[in-house]
Amino acid sequence: MHIPLSQVATALDARIDGNAELEITGAAEPAQCAADQLALAMSPKYAEGLAKGQARAAILYDGASREEFGLEAALFVARPRLAMAHLSKLFDPGPQIAPGIHPSAVVDPTAKIGEDARIGPLVVISANVTIGARARIAAHASIDHGATIGDDILMHSGARVGAGVTIGDRVILHYNSVVGGDGFAFVTPKPSSVEVVRATMGAETELEHQSWTRIHTLGTVVIGNDVELGSCSCIDRGTIRATVVGNGTKIDSQVQIGHNTTIGEDCLLCGQAGVAGSVQIGDRVVLAGKVGVNDNIFIGDDVVAGGGSNIVSNVPAGRVIFGYPAIKMTTHMETYKAMRRLPRLLKDVAALKKAVPNTDKND
Amino acid sequence: MHIPLSQVATALDARIDGNAELEITGAAEPAQCAADQLALAMSPKYAEGLAKGQARAAILYDGASREEFGLEAALFVARPRLAMAHLSKLFDPGPQIAPGIHPSAVVDPTAKIGEDARIGPLVVISANVTIGARARIAAHASIDHGATIGDDILMHSGARVGAGVTIGDRVILHYNSVVGGDGFAFVTPKPSSVEVVRATMGAETELEHQSWTRIHTLGTVVIGNDVELGSCSCIDRGTIRATVVGNGTKIDSQVQIGHNTTIGEDCLLCGQAGVAGSVQIGDRVVLAGKVGVNDNIFIGDDVVAGGGSNIVSNVPAGRVIFGYPAIKMTTHMETYKAMRRLPRLLKDVAALKKAVPNTDKND
Amino acid sequence: MHIPLSQVATALDARIDGNAELEITGAAEPAQCAADQLALAMSPKYAEGLAKGQARAAILYDGASREEFGLEAALFVARPRLAMAHLSKLFDPGPQIAPGIHPSAVVDPTAKIGEDARIGPLVVISANVTIGARARIAAHASIDHGATIGDDILMHSGARVGAGVTIGDRVILHYNSVVGGDGFAFVTPKPSSVEVVRATMGAETELEHQSWTRIHTLGTVVIGNDVELGSCSCIDRGTIRATVVGNGTKIDSQVQIGHNTTIGEDCLLCGQAGVAGSVQIGDRVVLAGKVGVNDNIFIGDDVVAGGGSNIVSNVPAGRVIFGYPAIKMTTHMETYKAMRRLPRLLKDVAALKKAVPNTDKND
């Protein structure tokens, strides 16, 4: 792929200085840059590497000049990270799946496959499945009966779509991800230890020995447009209604979303986050890596939860939280600093008790 | 599936009021209920939705009357959640796998397949595998040589059973779950940093640079009856003996169970829980979401661990625990409340130090 | 497999006492030992089991004698855990994959398959893939276009290797593991809530509603020699450069490694550990189970992080850390002990305030 810088500049909404006809084949960090690659030198620190590489063109930071680095051309952008998004899209060849349906795929005759869809080797598509136009489904992916999948979606190898699930357009399901596993819902004949603990906030009681009866999963999963689901991530179907993921929400690897949960639009759920069942999450919520969310709670729009937070109760819109259990981040930091002073505090109080006689009497 | 309410009432052990011959095709939340569905209105809050939906029959809460909601029939149950279990079982069609062995499956001629088993497309069954009667094995599942699988089991797509593993009856392995990966066990020629840290409780020493030698896994996994393993969950085989999961234990998605660990009967391990190697877990233990369990410890019967708890030492039977590290939940809450008062306490002690002269001398 | 004890002793670097020609077929715990198995009785506690089993030979602890346990032969080793490594290797038959390429595998004609490689049923190997000598690739594994895989590697069923990835020699990829998923990188047109929170350490601001634009992943993953990746573990490719895992590093199940991250040599990453993007990890670092590592930080050589630690900032070489957030383990223990004394401290300070009049004025 050879792309003239003028075209790159348009895609990146960049100002160009120098030879706009120079053709590039990709991008690289300055020190590793080949002569036909565009160097990513958006900060003085990165630009230092230009001397070590072969770059003839670079994206430079504000205030830098192409002459000082001996470049034939330079691009300048307002928001470097956004430029990266556009640039990377330009050069992403995407997965290589041959047009049509690979002869080794097992496609039920009742399945409807959209125009120009590409179905890779050993894919399994069950009865009454509908797949949109230009869908790309890689080797070993499977789609169970009655599922509906939108246009332009991409399923990587080993991704699983359960029966009856609905998935929107332009969705990406990464390797070995799962949409539509059964919910984890069980019940005992009489109240279980979990029910007792919740009702009593931790009191310990002797209970009859009981086994778990399965609550079967009759609901489904509905995923909007432009959603991404990372490798080995799992979304369970709802018990009766659907588990829902809104448009534009991005989910990283090894994330688990429980049954009946609703997630709004444009959220970010980072790696190993886990959301239990029947949770309501608003729009633009960010759960950093390893965040856990208790079942049956509500998280408002625009909440941001720091890495490893354990969210145990409702969170109002706009709140920034952190901790185990998660509280306002600023409160957490105040408490945490105080905690670090605890050993010193213990000494101070011991000294005070010596200095002030008879305090123990007042206990 | 059309089922008369009289039959539903029997399955749910419910009292019926009104037209017992009404036929239903499923269940739904009241507001979304179609005319041929049973509305789930087990609380006044849910019953409010009846007016918005089309339901002619509902499960109602104690004290409600079918007349007040204009229903043709109503069911009343003692324990609504248990009723849900029976009801959902009644309407679960299960996965659609055609009878017999799909021609695209690769089944070793030495494998013994039970009566009425259903083997889906592109399944791989290796040499000397035994599969029970009525087993259902979905597309892309694989069973390695010498494994034994019971009657009525269900393997979803991409589930993996390792060589020599033994699995009981009525077990469900969800999408991309793994039974029988190798244990994670390595050793260095001389004591490793981990060994030194454990022996010294955190002292930092300079150590020789060493590489890890693999301890190969010769043991297996033995899973009892009525066990469930969630999507992308993994159970490692034991080094010499077997890793064991007892009858009736339910395991959610993305749970990891280490080598040599023994888990008792009727336990619940919720999403993203992780149990290290050589752990002994009793019966009816509940590990909530994201709970971690250190290696080589003992957890007694009926222990309940709250979400995200980090269990680092033995836990006696019946204890309810929480925290990082996990302690008695009631103690955790007391300490936690005190911690929230810390910033105030620091101010109080500073004021006391001013008011009480010369306390620093006693330090 | 029948192996004379003399040969076992050589492999284990063990001293032998008694009949060196006795042949054994495997190893077992003393109480479960058959007559042709070697009992693992490396401590007095384990040796107690010898009376219950059938063992005629055992590995004994220093100071024990074979006569006292009625054994025909005994082995003595300097480091029992290391002996286990050698012994287990001796008896591990490895996975049974038939020689050659299974007729059901889909192998692109441009792929180069090394000498004596074994390709199992329904494996998919894409265009321009290179696979080393004696590689063993089990059922349902897939390798995308242009990937390069070394000699003697083992891929278990369902393991995924993405396009262009490079993997060294003797690497083991366990069931359903993933190398080369896309990085999780998105950007908003204007600063996102995450950027604001990071800049302000938790201040809450109202932001415009924005959607996420994808940063495509153009980089790759490079894995060294002798690396192991556990079941359902995932390594994301770098954005421009490669995500790197050094020689000899062992990764357990359900571990996630983010894009651009570099991990050194001979590290141990235990189950459910998660490393975000652009992290630099040194050599011989040990992350215990469920450890989380924030993006863009640096972890020096020989760091050991205790189970569930949440690492949010740079860690110097050799440090032993623990906690949420992770701090020096010894400091954590001191603070933690103090915290347990907090409820008592609150009472003491209340008593002091009563005993010392007018302290509130000084507030």
Side-chain angles (χ1 to χ4, degrees):
Chain A
M1 202 161 1
H2 287 74
I3 303 181
L5 272 185
S6 55
Q7 188 186 330
V8 174
T10 305
L12 271 59
D13 198 12
R15 179 169 67 81
I16 189 162
D17 177 38
N19 179 7
E21 277 153 49
L22 200 66
E23 292 197 338
I24 59 166
T25 63
E29 297 193 4
Q32 282 83 45
C33 223
D36 58 355
Q37 289 180 313
L38 180 67
L40 303 169
M42 285 95 140
S43 75
K45 194 189 137 205
Y46 276 105
E48 280 172 22
L50 282 168
K52 292 182 207 151
Q54 309 296 320
R56 295 153 63 201
I59 309 184
L60 289 180
Y61 54 96
D62 263 357
S65 75
R66 70 174 173 87
E67 290 84 1
E68 99 187 73
F69 295 109
L71 298 165
E72 292 180 34
L75 301 181
F76 295 88
V77 297
R79 187 156 157 74
R81 204 172 149 78
L82 188 61
M84 266 306 295
H86 298 313
L87 183 70
S88 62
K89 189 174 180 185
L90 215 56
F91 286 103
D92 185 0
Q96 294 181 13
I97 306 171
I101 299 176
H102 194 277
S104 67
V106 178
V107 179
D108 191 275
T110 63
K112 287 180 199 126
I113 312 288
E115 216 176 335
D116 291 330
R118 295 169 175 234
I119 313 290
L122 304 174
V123 165
V124 173
I125 299 178
S126 298
N128 301 314
V129 164
T130 303
I131 294 176
R134 296 168 305 279
R136 290 169 296 167
I137 303 184
H140 295 134
S142 61
I143 306 177
D144 290 355
H145 61 275
T148 302
I149 287 181
D151 296 340
D152 299 296
I153 82 131
L154 170 57
M155 280 177 76
H156 282 276
S157 289
R160 312 284 164 206
V161 172
V165 162
T166 300
I167 295 182
D169 298 335
R170 296 173 302 280
V171 167
I172 303 176
L173 304 180
H174 285 275
Y175 296 101
N176 291 346
S177 59
V178 176
V179 182
D182 285 350
F184 190 71
F186 298 91
V187 59
T188 44
K190 300 190 180 171
S192 69
S193 59
V194 180
E195 290 168 84
V196 172
V197 166
R198 288 192 171 196
T200 61
M201 297 302 285
E204 294 165 8
T205 348
E206 287 223 5
L207 291 168
E208 259 179 86
H209 296 178
Q210 303 183 92
S211 293
W212 298 100
T213 302
R214 184 166 212 265
I215 297 181
H216 288 248
T217 299
L218 305 178
T220 183
V221 181
V222 176
I223 292 186
N225 300 322
D226 301 297
V227 169
E228 197 158 323
L229 185 67
S231 301
C232 293
S233 281
C234 308
I235 304 179
D236 286 354
R237 54 180 70 237
T239 308
I240 293 290
R241 63 172 192 261
T243 303
V244 177
V245 177
N247 295 330
T249 284
K250 314 296 185 185
I251 300 172
D252 199 355
S253 302
Q254 298 177 354
V255 172
Q256 152 72 358
I257 296 175
H259 61 284
N260 300 337
T261 285
T262 296
I263 298 181
E265 304 198 346
D266 296 324
C267 295
L268 274 195
L269 277 70
C270 301
Q272 301 182 327
V275 181
S278 300
V279 174
Q280 290 272 350
I281 296 185
D283 296 335
R284 297 171 306 280
V285 168
V286 177
L287 306 182
K290 283 188 177 291
V291 167
V293 181
N294 263 32
D295 59 283
N296 286 289
I297 65 174
F298 168 90
I299 298 182
D301 293 344
D302 298 298
V303 165
V304 178
S309 294
N310 183 22
I311 308 179
V312 300
S313 51
N314 293 344
V315 185
R319 181 134 304 173
V320 179
I321 58 176
F322 188 71
Y324 176 92
I327 53 176
K328 257 189 112 154
M329 189 181 276
T330 46
T331 310
H332 184 276
M333 288 168 77
E334 195 192 2
T335 308
Y336 182 72
K337 275 182 208 155
M339 219 175 73
R340 298 295 296 272
R341 291 168 62 188
L342 249 187
R344 172 77 221 172
L345 189 72
L346 283 167
K347 282 184 194 162
D348 285 351
V349 172
L352 281 164
K353 284 170 72 179
K354 256 195 217 168
V356 180
N358 303 328
T359 46
D360 280 347
K361 283 190 200 157
N362 298 299
D363 202 345
Chain B
M1 202 164 358
H2 288 73
I3 303 181
L5 272 184
S6 55
Q7 188 186 330
V8 174
T10 305
L12 272 59
D13 197 13
R15 178 170 68 81
I16 189 160
D17 176 39
N19 179 6
E21 277 153 50
L22 199 67
E23 291 197 338
I24 59 167
T25 64
E29 298 193 4
Q32 282 83 46
C33 222
D36 58 354
Q37 289 179 312
L38 180 67
L40 302 169
M42 285 94 141
S43 76
K45 195 190 136 202
Y46 277 104
E48 281 172 23
L50 283 168
K52 292 183 208 149
Q54 309 296 319
R56 295 153 64 202
I59 308 184
L60 290 180
Y61 54 95
D62 262 357
S65 77
R66 69 175 174 86
E67 290 85 0
E68 97 187 76
F69 296 109
L71 297 165
E72 293 179 34
L75 301 181
F76 296 88
V77 297
R79 187 155 157 75
R81 205 172 149 78
L82 188 61
M84 265 306 296
H86 298 313
L87 184 69
S88 61
K89 188 175 180 183
L90 215 55
F91 286 103
D92 185 0
Q96 294 182 13
I97 306 171
I101 299 175
H102 194 278
S104 68
V106 178
V107 179
D108 191 277
T110 61
K112 286 179 200 129
I113 313 287
E115 216 177 335
D116 291 330
R118 294 168 176 235
I119 313 289
L122 303 174
V123 165
V124 173
I125 299 177
S126 298
N128 300 315
V129 164
T130 303
I131 294 176
R134 297 169 305 281
R136 290 169 297 167
I137 303 185
H140 294 136
S142 61
I143 306 175
D144 290 354
H145 61 274
T148 302
I149 287 180
D151 295 342
D152 298 295
I153 82 131
L154 170 58
M155 280 178 76
H156 282 277
S157 289
R160 311 284 163 208
V161 172
V165 163
T166 300
I167 295 182
D169 298 335
R170 296 174 303 281
V171 167
I172 302 176
L173 304 181
H174 285 275
Y175 296 101
N176 292 346
S177 59
V178 176
V179 182
D182 285 349
F184 190 70
F186 299 91
V187 59
T188 43
K190 300 191 180 170
S192 70
S193 58
V194 180
E195 290 168 86
V196 171
V197 166
R198 288 191 170 196
T200 62
M201 296 303 284
E204 294 165 9
T205 347
E206 288 223 5
L207 290 169
E208 258 179 88
H209 296 178
Q210 304 183 93
S211 294
W212 298 99
T213 302
R214 183 166 213 265
I215 298 181
H216 288 249
T217 301
L218 306 178
T220 184
V221 181
V222 175
I223 292 186
N225 299 324
D226 301 297
V227 169
E228 198 158 322
L229 185 66
S231 301
C232 293
S233 282
C234 309
I235 304 178
D236 286 353
R237 55 180 70 237
T239 308
I240 293 291
R241 62 172 191 261
T243 302
V244 177
V245 177
N247 294 331
T249 284
K250 313 297 186 184
I251 301 173
D252 199 355
S253 302
Q254 297 176 356
V255 172
Q256 153 72 0
I257 297 174
H259 61 284
N260 299 338
T261 285
T262 296
I263 298 181
E265 304 198 348
D266 296 323
C267 295
L268 273 195
L269 277 68
C270 301
Q272 300 181 329
V275 181
S278 302
V279 174
Q280 289 272 351
I281 295 185
D283 296 335
R284 296 172 306 282
V285 168
V286 177
L287 305 182
K290 284 188 177 293
V291 167
V293 181
N294 264 32
D295 59 284
N296 285 290
I297 66 174
F298 168 90
I299 298 182
D301 293 344
D302 299 297
V303 164
V304 177
S309 295
N310 183 22
I311 309 179
V312 301
S313 51
N314 293 345
V315 185
R319 180 134 305 172
V320 179
I321 57 174
F322 188 70
Y324 176 92
I327 53 176
K328 255 188 116 156
M329 188 181 276
T330 47
T331 310
H332 184 276
M333 288 169 78
E334 195 191 1
T335 308
Y336 182 73
K337 276 182 207 156
M339 218 176 73
R340 298 295 296 271
R341 291 169 64 187
L342 248 188
R344 172 78 221 170
L345 189 71
L346 283 167
K347 282 183 195 164
D348 285 352
V349 172
L352 280 164
K353 285 170 71 180
K354 255 194 216 167
V356 180
N358 304 328
T359 45
D360 281 346
K361 282 189 199 157
N362 298 300
D363 202 346
Chain C
M1 201 161 2
H2 287 73
I3 303 180
L5 273 185
S6 55
Q7 188 186 330
V8 174
T10 305
L12 271 60
D13 197 13
R15 179 169 68 82
I16 190 161
D17 177 40
N19 179 7
E21 277 153 51
L22 200 65
E23 292 197 339
I24 60 167
T25 64
E29 297 192 5
Q32 282 83 46
C33 222
D36 58 355
Q37 289 180 311
L38 180 67
L40 302 168
M42 284 94 142
S43 76
K45 194 189 137 204
Y46 276 104
E48 280 172 23
L50 283 169
K52 293 182 207 150
Q54 309 296 319
R56 295 153 63 202
I59 308 184
L60 290 180
Y61 53 97
D62 262 358
S65 76
R66 70 174 175 86
E67 290 84 1
E68 99 188 73
F69 295 108
L71 297 166
E72 293 180 33
L75 300 181
F76 296 89
V77 297
R79 187 156 157 73
R81 205 171 150 79
L82 188 62
M84 266 305 296
H86 298 312
L87 183 69
S88 61
K89 188 174 181 184
L90 214 55
F91 285 103
D92 186 359
Q96 294 181 12
I97 305 171
I101 299 176
H102 193 277
S104 68
V106 178
V107 180
D108 191 277
T110 62
K112 286 180 200 125
I113 313 287
E115 215 176 336
D116 290 330
R118 294 168 176 235
I119 314 289
L122 303 174
V123 165
V124 173
I125 299 177
S126 298
N128 301 314
V129 164
T130 303
I131 294 176
R134 296 167 306 279
R136 289 168 298 166
I137 303 185
H140 295 134
S142 61
I143 307 176
D144 290 355
H145 61 274
T148 302
I149 287 180
D151 295 341
D152 299 295
I153 83 132
L154 170 58
M155 281 177 75
H156 282 276
S157 289
R160 311 285 165 206
V161 173
V165 163
T166 300
I167 295 182
D169 298 335
R170 295 173 303 280
V171 167
I172 302 175
L173 304 180
H174 286 274
Y175 295 102
N176 292 344
S177 59
V178 177
V179 182
D182 285 349
F184 190 69
F186 299 91
V187 59
T188 45
K190 298 187 180 173
S192 69
S193 60
V194 180
E195 290 168 85
V196 171
V197 166
R198 288 193 170 194
T200 63
M201 295 304 285
E204 294 165 8
T205 347
E206 287 223 4
L207 290 170
E208 259 179 86
H209 296 179
Q210 304 183 94
S211 292
W212 298 99
T213 303
R214 183 166 214 266
I215 298 181
H216 288 248
T217 300
L218 306 178
T220 186
V221 181
V222 175
I223 292 185
N225 299 324
D226 301 297
V227 169
E228 197 159 322
L229 185 67
S231 300
C232 292
S233 283
C234 308
I235 304 178
D236 286 354
R237 54 179 71 236
T239 308
I240 294 290
R241 62 172 191 262
T243 303
V244 177
V245 177
N247 294 332
T249 284
K250 313 297 185 183
I251 300 174
D252 199 355
S253 301
Q254 298 176 355
V255 171
Q256 152 72 0
I257 296 174
H259 61 285
N260 299 338
T261 286
T262 297
I263 298 181
E265 305 199 346
D266 296 323
C267 295
L268 273 195
L269 277 68
C270 301
Q272 300 181 328
V275 181
S278 301
V279 174
Q280 290 272 352
I281 295 184
D283 296 335
R284 296 170 307 281
V285 168
V286 177
L287 305 182
K290 284 188 177 292
V291 166
V293 181
N294 263 32
D295 59 283
N296 285 289
I297 65 174
F298 169 90
I299 298 181
D301 293 344
D302 299 297
V303 165
V304 178
S309 295
N310 183 23
I311 309 179
V312 300
S313 51
N314 294 344
V315 185
R319 182 137 302 174
V320 179
I321 58 175
F322 188 69
Y324 176 91
I327 53 175
K328 256 189 114 156
M329 189 180 276
T330 45
T331 309
H332 184 276
M333 289 168 77
E334 194 191 3
T335 308
Y336 182 73
K337 275 182 207 155
M339 219 175 71
R340 298 296 295 273
R341 290 170 64 188
L342 249 188
R344 172 77 222 170
L345 189 71
L346 283 167
K347 283 183 194 162
D348 285 352
V349 172
L352 281 164
K353 284 170 73 179
K354 256 194 217 168
V356 180
N358 304 327
T359 45
D360 281 346
K361 284 190 200 158
N362 298 299
D363 203 345

